[in-house]
Every structure is written in C-alpha cells, then in structure tokens.
Amino acid sequence: MGSGGSFKAYPPGLGHVLLPAAPRKAALDGSSLYTPARRRGVMLHRASRVLLRTVGTAWLPSVPGEEMPLPPDDWSALLASLVAGGIPVDSVAIHGRTQVHRVSFSLVTIGREGVTAFVRVADRAALDAESRSIAMLEKFGPASFVYPRTLLRGSAGAVEYAAYSPVLTGFHSPPHSPKIGPVVADIQGALANLPKPAGTPSHWVPIHGDFTPWNLREHRGELVLIDWESCGWGPPHADEVLYIATARVLGLRVPDGVRTDEAAEFWRDRVGGSLRGRDDRLQKAVAKELSITDT
C-alpha cells in the first residue's frame, strides 16, 4: 500500500493520532496509539472508541496530506519493507505530532485481524538503545509487567525503523492503584548489565528513564510498560519519584513510594527532556512537584 489513503485526526481537540478514515475497525484498532493519563482524557477516549465502533470516523476532522510525517515515496518504501519482513499491513495509524522535540514518530500496522505491529521510526542511536533494552528484558523475563518484543529491525531508504509486538491493542489506561515496587525491581534486574557511562556514581541503579502514567498502562488486567529508549542510570528510587510526581500532577492515585532528595534533584535537572514534547504546563507542574520535600 502507499501512504494509506485518507486520515482523520484523533482524539477530538488534540488530533496527534492519525487514524485511517476507513474501515471502521481499522480506525478503532488504530486508536490504541492514544495513551491518555488524565481522567478526563481517559473518559474521552472511552467514549470516542464507542463512536468509532458504531459510526466510524465521519465526525473527526480530515488530515491534509502535507501533515503526514513522510513523503509518499518514503511511505511506500517503509510499508513495503515491513510487508517483506512478514508484517501484514492493510492500513496504518500514526502517532507523533505532539512530540515536538523529537525527530521520530510511531505507528501501528493493521491487518485483517487487528493490530499486527507497533513501529517506531527514529534515528539509529535511539532504536539501538531501545532494542538493547528490550533484548535485556527478553533475557531476564520480568514477571510484573508485559513489554513489547522486537519483531523486525530494518531500513527503507533513509528511514530507520524497528517493529515490535503489539502489546496495547484495545482500550488501556493508567493503572488505578499500581504496586510499582515490583515493576521497578524488575526494571533494575533486567537492565543490570546496561552499559554504565564513565563517571556514573557507584550507588546509581538502572532506570527506565520515562516511567510515567502514559507509559505504564493497564490493559486487559495486566500492567504493560512501553517506551524503552530512555533507559540509563540514576539515583535509587529515580523511577518511583518521577512516576509519583507525574501521577500527582495528573490527579491520579499516588502509589506508595519512597522520596529522596537526590532522585528529586536528578529529575529537576532533566524533567524537560524526560517529558519530551509534553505541554509546558505539565512540565512546569511536575518540576514544581519535584521541588516539594516529602518525608
């Protein structure tokens, strides 16, 4: 297929996910790319999926061709490469327009039976980092969460991509009351052999690096953790501190956790990069939350 035909902007008011205009089921499948974290966004997503299922995409605005992230020839080359690698592609949905500080975007490929792969298009360094982390996860076998597995790594012209197993294929939301301790323990266990840059403090631990309610999702009764390209090293409890700070700002139930000055300081210096393209108000609110000292 070529660029996939016409697209509609989803969700209403944001429009950073591009859904195939038809068929109805493909649009519904593609909506799984949306990862709302605020309660209002989750409720809107749930209601919107009902509309997609019953009436299709006629109520959504169309997307001009110039807003597509790749020219038609590059689209054709990318999708042909995926098909040649064994991934069925009847249509695609695309995510990425809110990530204004990134040169990458994501998409899901959709076949007759539903979503067939999650695909990330990015520079080689980012894809290498994510692929390395996922390979470590596969070797370790975490018990507390589900994660994407690498299906295909390739290039199409100047486009570098990695295709992963689709782990979010329907409605999903931030976990209601997550026990993040076992998740963080599995992260640290899986990434124990992650290369440690020179000068890293000896007491630092492996971290996911973007451990937030839009990346830790609840889907069909399981926790799913996505977006593994930011893994690295940080102070003890760094992942917990970032999750708790963002959960508080988003008005979500805050899990039991440990707050340390070192971890809070670590994120105050990096929160803009970690929240990559999220709105300025959210970044400022999280930075303010990190400045509050807990006992």
Side-chain angles (χ1 to χ4, degrees), residues 82-246:
L82 291 169
V83 171
I87 296 175
V89 183
D90 290 335
S91 54
V92 299
I94 306 157
H95 181 287
R97 295 196 296 165
T98 61
Q99 305 294 328
V100 295
H101 301 303
R102 303 174 79 176
V103 295
S104 64
F105 65 94
S106 302
L107 62 121
V108 291
T109 55
I110 304 165
R112 293 181 181 179
E113 303 302 320
V115 176
T116 56
F118 173 84
V119 182
R120 191 185 301 280
V121 175
D123 61 80
R124 182 172 297 179
L127 295 177
D128 284 345
E130 185 159 57
S131 296
R132 178 181 57 199
S133 298
I134 289 176
M136 291 181 177
L137 288 166
E138 291 178 344
K139 184 176 181 179
F140 180 80
S144 62
F145 59 84
V146 176
Y147 60 93
R149 298 170 185 262
T150 302
L151 300 177
L152 184 65
R153 177 74 186 274
S155 62
V159 176
E160 295 272 346
Y161 70 86
Y164 303 103
S165 59
V167 291
L168 297 172
T169 57
F171 178 78
H172 50 85
S173 63
H176 178 65
S177 184
K179 295 180 179 179
I180 61 176
V183 176
V184 171
D186 273 346
I187 292 170
Q188 293 179 9
L191 303 180
N193 293 322
L194 197 69
K196 184 181 290 189
T200 301
S202 61
H203 68 288
W204 280 22
V205 296
I207 62 173
H208 177 273
D210 198 5
F211 192 59
T212 56
W214 50 84
N215 285 330
L216 182 66
R217 312 296 290 179
E218 187 168 358
H219 177 54
R220 298 175 180 171
E222 295 183 302
L223 290 180
V224 179
L225 187 54
I226 60 173
D227 202 347
W228 290 90
E229 69 180 73
S230 300
C231 298
W233 293 81
H237 308 298
D239 275 336
E240 296 103 310
V241 165
L242 181 62
Y243 189 94
I244 291 169
T246 52

